[in-house]
Amino acid sequence: MDTGAMIKGHISLQKQAFNNFRDAMAIFQDQAVRANRILADQIKIDEKAREFADQWRMALNKGRDDFRAQVNEAYARIEELYDGLEQNLRSK
């Protein structure tokens, strides 16, 4: 296996590991939101507290989506840089 294939495989492995971890964390966060909603329904919280909880959930989801986009963009740049470097080395 040549060095280029090993590096590409390593980048792919890191990206997949990060995606799996991020997806697992999203599942935990979604479960926490569901548990909070059930608890809120059982203890009959007022509308203001429910609005606050909804805003918190929306902020959490936005942050999670923004982070996902930034990391995906970073991996795309890494792959682009590596492809450019690999082409540069081949042309020499």
PDB file of all heavy atoms in Angstrom, residues 33-50:
ATOM      1  N   VAL A  33     -33.839  15.694  25.458  1.00  0.00           N
ATOM      2  CA  VAL A  33     -34.935  16.614  25.136  1.00  0.00           C
ATOM      3  C   VAL A  33     -36.279  15.915  25.331  1.00  0.00           C
ATOM      4  O   VAL A  33     -37.205  16.472  25.931  1.00  0.00           O
ATOM      5  CB  VAL A  33     -34.792  17.154  23.691  1.00  0.00           C
ATOM      6  CG1 VAL A  33     -36.064  17.853  23.241  1.00  0.00           C
ATOM      7  CG2 VAL A  33     -33.600  18.097  23.596  1.00  0.00           C
ATOM      8  N   ARG A  34     -36.389  14.673  24.854  1.00  0.00           N
ATOM      9  CA  ARG A  34     -37.635  13.918  25.030  1.00  0.00           C
ATOM     10  C   ARG A  34     -37.952  13.699  26.510  1.00  0.00           C
ATOM     11  O   ARG A  34     -39.091  13.845  26.944  1.00  0.00           O
ATOM     12  CB  ARG A  34     -37.554  12.577  24.317  1.00  0.00           C
ATOM     13  CG  ARG A  34     -37.839  12.689  22.849  1.00  0.00           C
ATOM     14  CD  ARG A  34     -37.971  11.304  22.203  1.00  0.00           C
ATOM     15  NE  ARG A  34     -37.353  11.404  20.889  1.00  0.00           N
ATOM     16  CZ  ARG A  34     -36.197  10.868  20.532  1.00  0.00           C
ATOM     17  NH1 ARG A  34     -35.517  10.129  21.369  1.00  0.00           N
ATOM     18  NH2 ARG A  34     -35.728  11.040  19.325  1.00  0.00           N
ATOM     19  N   ALA A  35     -36.929  13.361  27.276  1.00  0.00           N
ATOM     20  CA  ALA A  35     -37.130  13.143  28.715  1.00  0.00           C
ATOM     21  C   ALA A  35     -37.577  14.435  29.391  1.00  0.00           C
ATOM     22  O   ALA A  35     -38.457  14.417  30.267  1.00  0.00           O
ATOM     23  CB  ALA A  35     -35.842  12.624  29.357  1.00  0.00           C
ATOM     24  N   ASN A  36     -36.984  15.554  28.992  1.00  0.00           N
ATOM     25  CA  ASN A  36     -37.379  16.847  29.566  1.00  0.00           C
ATOM     26  C   ASN A  36     -38.821  17.190  29.209  1.00  0.00           C
ATOM     27  O   ASN A  36     -39.551  17.742  30.042  1.00  0.00           O
ATOM     28  CB  ASN A  36     -36.441  17.960  29.093  1.00  0.00           C
ATOM     29  CG  ASN A  36     -35.100  17.895  29.769  1.00  0.00           C
ATOM     30  OD1 ASN A  36     -34.966  17.308  30.840  1.00  0.00           O
ATOM     31  ND2 ASN A  36     -34.097  18.477  29.154  1.00  0.00           N
ATOM     32  N   ARG A  37     -39.228  16.877  27.989  1.00  0.00           N
ATOM     33  CA  ARG A  37     -40.619  17.152  27.600  1.00  0.00           C
ATOM     34  C   ARG A  37     -41.588  16.300  28.413  1.00  0.00           C
ATOM     35  O   ARG A  37     -42.636  16.789  28.847  1.00  0.00           O
ATOM     36  CB  ARG A  37     -40.812  16.881  26.115  1.00  0.00           C
ATOM     37  CG  ARG A  37     -40.244  17.967  25.245  1.00  0.00           C
ATOM     38  CD  ARG A  37     -40.564  17.708  23.807  1.00  0.00           C
ATOM     39  NE  ARG A  37     -40.026  18.777  22.987  1.00  0.00           N
ATOM     40  CZ  ARG A  37     -39.900  18.695  21.690  1.00  0.00           C
ATOM     41  NH1 ARG A  37     -40.286  17.609  21.057  1.00  0.00           N
ATOM     42  NH2 ARG A  37     -39.410  19.704  21.007  1.00  0.00           N
ATOM     43  N   ILE A  38     -41.257  15.036  28.590  1.00  0.00           N
ATOM     44  CA  ILE A  38     -42.121  14.157  29.383  1.00  0.00           C
ATOM     45  C   ILE A  38     -42.224  14.669  30.814  1.00  0.00           C
ATOM     46  O   ILE A  38     -43.311  14.751  31.387  1.00  0.00           O
ATOM     47  CB  ILE A  38     -41.603  12.700  29.343  1.00  0.00           C
ATOM     48  CG1 ILE A  38     -41.791  12.126  27.932  1.00  0.00           C
ATOM     49  CG2 ILE A  38     -42.291  11.836  30.382  1.00  0.00           C
ATOM     50  CD1 ILE A  38     -41.077  10.814  27.703  1.00  0.00           C
ATOM     51  N   LEU A  39     -41.086  15.029  31.383  1.00  0.00           N
ATOM     52  CA  LEU A  39     -41.071  15.562  32.742  1.00  0.00           C
ATOM     53  C   LEU A  39     -41.868  16.851  32.832  1.00  0.00           C
ATOM     54  O   LEU A  39     -42.650  17.043  33.768  1.00  0.00           O
ATOM     55  CB  LEU A  39     -39.624  15.804  33.200  1.00  0.00           C
ATOM     56  CG  LEU A  39     -39.446  16.324  34.607  1.00  0.00           C
ATOM     57  CD1 LEU A  39     -39.976  15.317  35.622  1.00  0.00           C
ATOM     58  CD2 LEU A  39     -37.980  16.629  34.874  1.00  0.00           C
ATOM     59  N   ALA A  40     -41.704  17.719  31.845  1.00  0.00           N
ATOM     60  CA  ALA A  40     -42.441  18.988  31.832  1.00  0.00           C
ATOM     61  C   ALA A  40     -43.944  18.747  31.759  1.00  0.00           C
ATOM     62  O   ALA A  40     -44.726  19.453  32.407  1.00  0.00           O
ATOM     63  CB  ALA A  40     -41.975  19.851  30.663  1.00  0.00           C
ATOM     64  N   ASP A  41     -44.348  17.760  30.988  1.00  0.00           N
ATOM     65  CA  ASP A  41     -45.775  17.437  30.897  1.00  0.00           C
ATOM     66  C   ASP A  41     -46.309  16.885  32.221  1.00  0.00           C
ATOM     67  O   ASP A  41     -47.430  17.177  32.620  1.00  0.00           O
ATOM     68  CB  ASP A  41     -46.030  16.425  29.780  1.00  0.00           C
ATOM     69  CG  ASP A  41     -45.875  17.036  28.396  1.00  0.00           C
ATOM     70  OD1 ASP A  41     -45.898  18.278  28.289  1.00  0.00           O
ATOM     71  OD2 ASP A  41     -45.715  16.257  27.428  1.00  0.00           O
ATOM     72  N   GLN A  42     -45.488  16.086  32.898  1.00  0.00           N
ATOM     73  CA  GLN A  42     -45.931  15.475  34.145  1.00  0.00           C
ATOM     74  C   GLN A  42     -46.033  16.483  35.284  1.00  0.00           C
ATOM     75  O   GLN A  42     -46.921  16.382  36.116  1.00  0.00           O
ATOM     76  CB  GLN A  42     -44.991  14.334  34.535  1.00  0.00           C
ATOM     77  CG  GLN A  42     -45.149  13.130  33.651  1.00  0.00           C
ATOM     78  CD  GLN A  42     -44.175  12.024  34.018  1.00  0.00           C
ATOM     79  OE1 GLN A  42     -43.278  12.205  34.821  1.00  0.00           O
ATOM     80  NE2 GLN A  42     -44.354  10.869  33.399  1.00  0.00           N
ATOM     81  N   ILE A  43     -45.097  17.430  35.335  1.00  0.00           N
ATOM     82  CA  ILE A  43     -45.137  18.381  36.450  1.00  0.00           C
ATOM     83  C   ILE A  43     -45.873  19.667  36.089  1.00  0.00           C
ATOM     84  O   ILE A  43     -45.968  20.574  36.888  1.00  0.00           O
ATOM     85  CB  ILE A  43     -43.723  18.702  36.981  1.00  0.00           C
ATOM     86  CG1 ILE A  43     -42.869  19.364  35.914  1.00  0.00           C
ATOM     87  CG2 ILE A  43     -43.067  17.474  37.538  1.00  0.00           C
ATOM     88  CD1 ILE A  43     -41.531  19.862  36.421  1.00  0.00           C
ATOM     89  N   LYS A  44     -46.374  19.717  34.859  1.00  0.00           N
ATOM     90  CA  LYS A  44     -47.207  20.848  34.413  1.00  0.00           C
ATOM     91  C   LYS A  44     -46.478  22.192  34.568  1.00  0.00           C
ATOM     92  O   LYS A  44     -46.931  23.076  35.281  1.00  0.00           O
ATOM     93  CB  LYS A  44     -48.522  20.889  35.188  1.00  0.00           C
ATOM     94  CG  LYS A  44     -49.277  19.601  35.227  1.00  0.00           C
ATOM     95  CD  LYS A  44     -50.278  19.545  34.116  1.00  0.00           C
ATOM     96  CE  LYS A  44     -51.216  18.389  34.330  1.00  0.00           C
ATOM     97  NZ  LYS A  44     -50.919  17.223  33.559  1.00  0.00           N
ATOM     98  N   ILE A  45     -45.338  22.327  33.857  1.00  0.00           N
ATOM     99  CA  ILE A  45     -44.621  23.604  33.930  1.00  0.00           C
ATOM    100  C   ILE A  45     -45.398  24.671  33.176  1.00  0.00           C
ATOM    101  O   ILE A  45     -46.201  24.371  32.287  1.00  0.00           O
ATOM    102  CB  ILE A  45     -43.179  23.491  33.392  1.00  0.00           C
ATOM    103  CG1 ILE A  45     -43.172  23.160  31.897  1.00  0.00           C
ATOM    104  CG2 ILE A  45     -42.381  22.481  34.175  1.00  0.00           C
ATOM    105  CD1 ILE A  45     -41.811  23.288  31.263  1.00  0.00           C
ATOM    106  N   ASP A  46     -45.149  25.914  33.542  1.00  0.00           N
ATOM    107  CA  ASP A  46     -45.896  26.994  32.903  1.00  0.00           C
ATOM    108  C   ASP A  46     -45.381  27.251  31.484  1.00  0.00           C
ATOM    109  O   ASP A  46     -44.343  26.747  31.069  1.00  0.00           O
ATOM    110  CB  ASP A  46     -45.842  28.266  33.749  1.00  0.00           C
ATOM    111  CG  ASP A  46     -44.454  28.859  33.863  1.00  0.00           C
ATOM    112  OD1 ASP A  46     -43.479  28.170  33.515  1.00  0.00           O
ATOM    113  OD2 ASP A  46     -44.348  30.008  34.310  1.00  0.00           O
ATOM    114  N   GLU A  47     -46.125  28.055  30.761  1.00  0.00           N
ATOM    115  CA  GLU A  47     -45.831  28.300  29.345  1.00  0.00           C
ATOM    116  C   GLU A  47     -44.490  29.007  29.142  1.00  0.00           C
ATOM    117  O   GLU A  47     -43.768  28.726  28.185  1.00  0.00           O
ATOM    118  CB  GLU A  47     -46.969  29.127  28.719  1.00  0.00           C
ATOM    119  CG  GLU A  47     -46.951  29.145  27.220  1.00  0.00           C
ATOM    120  CD  GLU A  47     -47.061  27.750  26.596  1.00  0.00           C
ATOM    121  OE1 GLU A  47     -47.740  26.883  27.148  1.00  0.00           O
ATOM    122  OE2 GLU A  47     -46.444  27.548  25.538  1.00  0.00           O
ATOM    123  N   LYS A  48     -44.141  29.901  30.048  1.00  0.00           N
ATOM    124  CA  LYS A  48     -42.873  30.627  29.931  1.00  0.00           C
ATOM    125  C   LYS A  48     -41.688  29.669  30.032  1.00  0.00           C
ATOM    126  O   LYS A  48     -40.728  29.764  29.262  1.00  0.00           O
ATOM    127  CB  LYS A  48     -42.789  31.691  31.031  1.00  0.00           C
ATOM    128  CG  LYS A  48     -41.916  32.840  30.706  1.00  0.00           C
ATOM    129  CD  LYS A  48     -42.059  33.920  31.759  1.00  0.00           C
ATOM    130  CE  LYS A  48     -42.096  35.239  31.042  1.00  0.00           C
ATOM    131  NZ  LYS A  48     -42.264  36.365  31.910  1.00  0.00           N
ATOM    132  N   ALA A  49     -41.757  28.738  30.949  1.00  0.00           N
ATOM    133  CA  ALA A  49     -40.688  27.753  31.105  1.00  0.00           C
ATOM    134  C   ALA A  49     -40.635  26.828  29.890  1.00  0.00           C
ATOM    135  O   ALA A  49     -39.554  26.452  29.429  1.00  0.00           O
ATOM    136  CB  ALA A  49     -40.895  26.945  32.376  1.00  0.00           C
ATOM    137  N   ARG A  50     -41.784  26.490  29.349  1.00  0.00           N
ATOM    138  CA  ARG A  50     -41.827  25.640  28.151  1.00  0.00           C
ATOM    139  C   ARG A  50     -41.202  26.374  26.960  1.00  0.00           C
ATOM    140  O   ARG A  50     -40.466  25.783  26.180  1.00  0.00           O
ATOM    141  CB  ARG A  50     -43.267  25.250  27.855  1.00  0.00           C
ATOM    142  CG  ARG A  50     -43.402  24.156  26.831  1.00  0.00           C
ATOM    143  CD  ARG A  50     -44.848  23.769  26.633  1.00  0.00           C
ATOM    144  NE  ARG A  50     -45.455  23.253  27.853  1.00  0.00           N
ATOM    145  CZ  ARG A  50     -45.435  21.966  28.202  1.00  0.00           C
ATOM    146  NH1 ARG A  50     -44.851  21.093  27.435  1.00  0.00           N
ATOM    147  NH2 ARG A  50     -46.016  21.563  29.312  1.00  0.00           N
TER     148      ARG A  50
END
